[in-house]
Amino acid sequence: MRNQFRNGIVDRERNKTHYMKVLYCVSEVAPIFKLGGLGDVAGSLPKALAGLGVDIRIALPFFSSIDRKRYAVSQKPVDSFRFPYGENHGYESVSLYQTKIPGSHVPVLLFANARYLSQYVSQREYGTTIDTIARFSFFSEAIVFWLLGHKQTSQWFPDIIHLNDWHVSLVAAVPSIPKTLLTIHNLSYQGIDANNSNKKNQPNLLRLGLKSATLVNTVSKTYAKDIQTKEFGENLEGILKQRKKDLTGILNGIDYSVWNPMRDQYLNQELRITNYELRQKKYDRFKTVNKYYLQKSLALPTIADIPVFAFIGRIEPQQKGIDILIHALENLLPKTNFQMVILGTGEPIWEDRLHKISHLKSTRKKFVFADRFDEALAHRIYAGADFILIPSKFEPCGLVQMIAMRYAAIPIVRATGGLADTVKDKKTGLTFKDYSAKELEAAVARALWLYFSGKKFERMRQKGVEEDFSWEKSAKEYVKLYWKIMRL
Ligand code: ADP
């Protein structure tokens, strides 16, 4: 507590120290439960905010796949309540268990309910289905009932509720709750049933949240502008334009304690970069041993001077660009000398196409598709690959390119959203503009040329490593936004 006091946020205008209390509501928190970048953000931003003196607690569903032992979840509930829910005037009960983000003091409250909140959500069902909508509508209502109960008993009560994406945006629409910040991590998921063709007349959870949240932000400045246009607005550009004055962009950071090539828990001592190597800007040994180890573990030929490219992410064309990637690979792999590793899961038809490519004679010793979610392999790929491909159609922020740079892998990205804000063409990575396999192929050709250029390649790697993607700056911007909300 005393430590928090020392780090307390001084509201200079009022000239007093105040500990704002924030409830951070989200559907995933790394490493406790992670599907993608949202999990990374929720597992790191709150730690940075706590470091700045914010009294922050996280609300997360208690999915059955969460490892109780590993994450030291409380044996018994720390709270429980019942509330009217569903048809026939029924009641549902919720028990709250507690843990912390590993390596921090940030409390994570796990909302347990067997009917709605235990079922595991996977990367393969990332899109919205009627099931996930029911799950998260329930979670949102449970948060509200829990909060209202707290108000009456004057226990810990937040000044601000920080909502993330459609899953919890419904909370903002309840009039009696505190002020809210709604962060859009990805506008293309809105809490409408993707399988129902009658999209117009369906309730849209994100729209409800956008209308009512006190302030709204998204995860890069470019994406904050993009989403006010028809091209990227996903039919919500109207409401976003209306709320233009309340909408800002704050770039995500990455957790430097997790994504740290000097202390990476998934890399053995010999595979980590040393302090000396980092200071001397010598990445060769680090990259070479990791490339060897990666190739060996994936049964690729262990050749030191062949460029290794990789893709890590959801296997779908709507955002991640898997269609143009597949086209480019079909063209390039048979005739060009490089290796390619893909790690990801997603839509079965696109996974099948990748499996087919991996079974071709012409690609056998060059291409690996790991169709799973594998945190350890992801770390080893960042460390061992020379280039990471991110051919996204759109990208609100994107973390893969930042992690890649930290591990001296050069990102090759389409210049959109957060990718455009974080990768400097020809300096820290390679960028291309048009969304087409041709452009991507041309970027790969530039990468191959760069790889064999020696000095230029090394300089680009070094510039990438030197970039600062820690949360320090962005967390302060969130605190400013919280203060703005408090004053409204
Ligand atoms: P998004 O949130 O849109 O999926 P981001 O670039 O913001 O994309 O973040 C993706 C995060 O998820 C990164 O930490 C990446 O390493 C991780 N990731 C994605 N797919 C996998 C996978 N199959 N196995 C392990 N990690 C993955």
Side-chain angles (χ1 to χ4, degrees):
M1 191 65 206
R2 196 180 300 149
N3 204 12
Q4 271 197 1
F5 205 83
R6 232 182 287 135
N7 292 329
I9 294 152
V10 180
D11 179 7
R12 290 181 205 289
E13 278 174 45
R14 294 187 199 172
N15 199 21
K16 70 174 187 187
T17 308
H18 180 99
Y19 298 97
M20 56 178 94
K21 297 187 186 68
V22 175
L23 183 68
Y24 190 90
C25 306
V26 70
S27 59
E28 46 183 301
V29 177
I32 299 166
F33 179 78
K34 166 174 164 179
L35 296 176
L38 176 56
D40 283 328
V41 171
S44 51
L45 171 61
K47 285 197 291 190
L49 290 168
L52 294 172
V54 178
D55 180 359
I56 190 161
R57 298 180 189 196
I58 299 178
L60 174 75
F62 198 166
F63 295 121
S64 55
S65 63
I66 291 175
D67 191 332
R68 279 172 172 258
K69 254 201 178 148
R70 185 164 178 194
Y71 298 115
V73 176
S74 59
Q75 295 281 339
K76 290 190 183 146
V78 291
D79 203 351
S80 55
F81 58 97
R82 285 172 85 228
F83 66 103
Y85 195 80
E87 288 148 26
N88 308 326
H89 309 288
Y91 274 78
E92 284 292 332
S93 2
V94 174
S95 302
L96 258 62
Y97 292 80
Q98 190 168 332
T99 181
K100 285 178 179 159
I101 300 181
S104 80
H105 294 294
V106 177
V108 181
L109 296 163
L110 296 161
F111 283 59
N113 170 275
R115 191 194 304 261
Y116 292 99
L117 298 181
S118 81
Q119 208 184 323
Y120 174 63
V121 192
S122 79
Q123 260 195 330
R124 286 198 172 89
E125 46 168 331
Y126 206 78
T128 327
T129 64
I130 201 75
D131 243 25
T132 48
I133 292 172
R135 207 176 282 153
F136 288 109
S137 302
F138 177 83
F139 181 45
S140 302
E141 292 215 21
I143 291 169
V144 170
F145 271 90
W146 176 67
L147 278 176
L148 295 180
H150 264 207
K151 206 170 182 178
Q152 282 151 18
T153 54
S154 75
Q155 295 176 44
W156 186 91
F157 193 74
D159 302 305
I160 290 168
I161 307 184
H162 187 158
L163 303 165
N164 292 278
D165 270 355
W166 71 268
H167 312 87
V168 285
S169 58
L170 199 55
V171 173
V174 180
S176 45
I177 54 138
K179 289 171 180 167
T180 50
L181 172 65
L182 174 57
T183 302
I184 305 168
H185 296 263
N186 193 331
L187 195 67
S188 65
Y189 302 104
Q190 301 181 0
I192 43 176
D193 181 5
N195 299 316
N196 186 335
S197 51
N198 186 6
K199 292 210 165 66
K200 281 240 157 88
N201 296 325
Q202 286 187 59
N204 176 323
L205 300 187
L206 188 61
R207 181 192 289 276
L208 287 170
L210 287 174
K211 275 189 177 162
S212 346
T214 316
L215 289 183
V216 178
N217 84 300
T218 182
V219 287
S220 69
K221 291 208 171 4
T222 298
Y223 193 62
K225 278 192 215 128
D226 285 350
I227 56 177
Q228 296 176 45
T229 65
K230 196 157 177 44
E231 189 186 352
F232 295 99
E234 305 276 354
N235 295 323
L236 292 179
E237 60 275 11
I239 169 97
L240 288 163
K241 257 194 250 160
Q242 275 170 32
R243 301 221 55 186
K244 195 177 170 168
K245 275 213 258 127
D246 302 329
L247 171 65
T248 46
I250 302 178
L251 198 67
N252 282 334
I254 53 173
D255 190 332
Y256 270 28
S257 65
V258 174
W259 300 108
N260 181 350
M262 270 203 312
R263 275 188 281 275
D264 191 308
Q265 58 160 321
Y266 295 102
L267 305 180
N268 300 335
Q269 190 64 39
E270 52 157 347
L271 296 178
R272 296 178 184 161
I273 198 162
T274 64
N275 197 359
Y276 174 79
E277 287 169 325
L278 257 186
R279 268 192 287 120
Q280 295 295 313
K281 303 173 180 162
K282 290 189 187 307
Y283 315 118
D284 265 353
R285 186 208 56 87
F286 166 69
K287 293 304 288 186
T288 308
V289 289
N290 276 288
K291 184 190 279 193
Y292 175 82
Y293 187 70
L294 180 68
Q295 289 169 325
K296 202 158 174 230
S297 66
L298 296 175
L300 284 165
T302 49
I303 308 167
D305 60 358
I306 192 170
V308 173
F309 290 71
F311 169 95
I312 301 175
R314 290 191 308 279
I315 306 299
E316 43 84 356
Q318 293 82 6
Q319 177 182 351
K320 296 295 178 185
I322 210 71
D323 50 348
I324 61 168
L325 180 61
I326 285 179
H327 271 119
L329 289 178
E330 281 171 345
N331 246 338
L332 291 172
L333 274 170
K335 59 182 189 210
T336 321
N337 203 20
F338 68 94
Q339 294 177 345
M340 173 81 205
V341 178
I342 293 188
L343 170 63
T345 60
E347 294 175 14
I349 49 162
W350 297 96
E351 287 190 19
D352 285 350
R353 289 208 33 197
L354 288 172
H355 280 302
K356 279 205 183 102
I357 297 178
S358 68
H359 292 130
L360 293 175
K361 221 174 164 189
S362 58
T363 64
R364 198 169 298 152
K365 290 196 169 147
K366 292 177 162 180
F367 179 66
V368 173
F369 172 36
D371 61 343
R372 56 183 188 271
F373 192 91
D374 188 337
E375 192 70 43
L377 180 56
H379 283 246
R380 296 202 322 259
I381 291 174
Y382 289 117
D386 298 299
F387 298 99
I388 305 280
L389 296 173
I390 314 166
S392 303
K393 199 175 272 173
F394 69 92
E395 196 62 71
C397 176
L399 302 178
V400 170
Q401 78 281 11
M402 302 188 199
I403 304 169
M405 284 183 252
R406 189 137 163 84
Y407 282 72
I410 293 176
I412 301 177
V413 308
R414 195 171 96 76
T416 178
L419 296 172
D421 292 0
T422 50
V423 179
K424 299 173 190 143
D425 191 36
K426 299 194 200 80
K427 291 202 174 78
T428 60
L430 300 174
T431 71
F432 62 98
K433 282 223 166 72
D434 288 350
Y435 185 77
S436 74
K438 263 220 155 78
E439 283 261 324
L440 174 57
E441 280 176 45
V444 171
R446 281 164 63 203
L448 290 170
W449 178 84
L450 180 75
Y451 181 79
F452 292 107
S453 76
K455 276 249 142 45
K456 277 192 179 154
F457 175 70
E458 274 166 31
R459 214 173 306 133
M460 194 177 286
R461 259 192 342 199
Q462 182 190 322
K463 284 245 156 11
V465 173
E466 284 169 0
E467 290 287 290
D468 181 4
F469 296 119
S470 66
W471 268 109
E472 223 159 275
K473 198 167 141 229
S474 297
K476 283 183 187 147
E477 287 188 51
Y478 272 101
V479 172
K480 271 195 207 148
L481 209 53
Y482 288 162
W483 273 118
K484 190 171 165 192
I485 291 177
M486 300 268 276
R487 290 194 196 102
L488 287 173

